Amino acid sequence: MEIFNRPPTIAEDTLQYTLHPPQDLSDKASATTFAACIRAYVDALLPDFIWHRDAFELKVVADPDPENDGWILEGRMRVGDSVDDEWCTVWLLREISSKWDLVIRKRHRRQLPGVNEDEDRDNATNDDDDEYISAQDAINLIRDQSIPTVAPDAAEAIVFRRISG
């Protein structure tokens, strides 16, 4: 039945993020240790931080991509109407990616508050397009040093302006 083949969806007030560790850290033991290191780093960045709903979390899960037999890190948090929690998580993910070589995918059903819709539209992908790239192909492209994968300056400016203060 078609109902069973649909991809899982996330609630409108939920932020989901996936961290793909380097290939040499994709076995379960290494991924678990890596998650603990990231958690300690987050705790050091935000000592005594009080989240409005769910705290930042990471779970070690098997990579759902059938081409990979490794492990990845996932997190999901209900943010409700807490704009601060959403942007704090975006900032954390940027800090984590600055410290470690990993690929991060963030999913959220609604546009982050504080982002101008006209500017965002120019830098966003259209979910209705017929052309898609697999998650593994995207990871391979990002990790290929010969391919420039930096976001456009306008897209970076939007996010960095918001998370810098």
Side-chain angles (χ1 to χ4, degrees), residues 58-111:
L58 287 174
K59 295 179 182 175
V60 178
V61 298
D63 191 330
D65 189 331
E67 295 178 24
N68 297 326
D69 60 352
W71 296 80
I72 60 173
L73 312 177
E74 278 187 345
R76 186 181 285 218
M77 63 189 315
R78 293 170 305 136
V79 292
D81 57 358
S82 177
V83 175
D84 292 339
D85 282 4
E86 288 182 73
W87 282 110
C88 185
T89 303
V90 170
W91 176 79
L92 279 174
L93 293 172
R94 186 185 118 211
E95 294 300 307
I96 291 166
S97 69
S98 295
K99 186 167 177 69
W100 288 287
D101 178 26
L102 48 80
V103 176
I104 298 175
R105 177 182 184 206
K106 181 197 76 67
R107 293 181 62 209
H108 196 272
R109 284 198 44 206
R110 67 173 184 229
Q111 179 178 353

Side-chain angles (χ1 to χ4, degrees), residues 146-160:
S146 68
I147 299 173
T149 57
V150 177
D153 290 342
E156 280 192 2
I158 291 168
V159 174
F160 292 160

Side-chain angles (χ1 to χ4, degrees), residues 5 9 19 34 41 48 54 96 104 122 126 134 150:
N5 293 325
T9 60
L19 287 71
F34 190 45
Y41 182 62
D48 304 320
D54 296 339
I96 291 166
I104 298 175
D122 294 337
N126 184 353
S134 74
V150 177

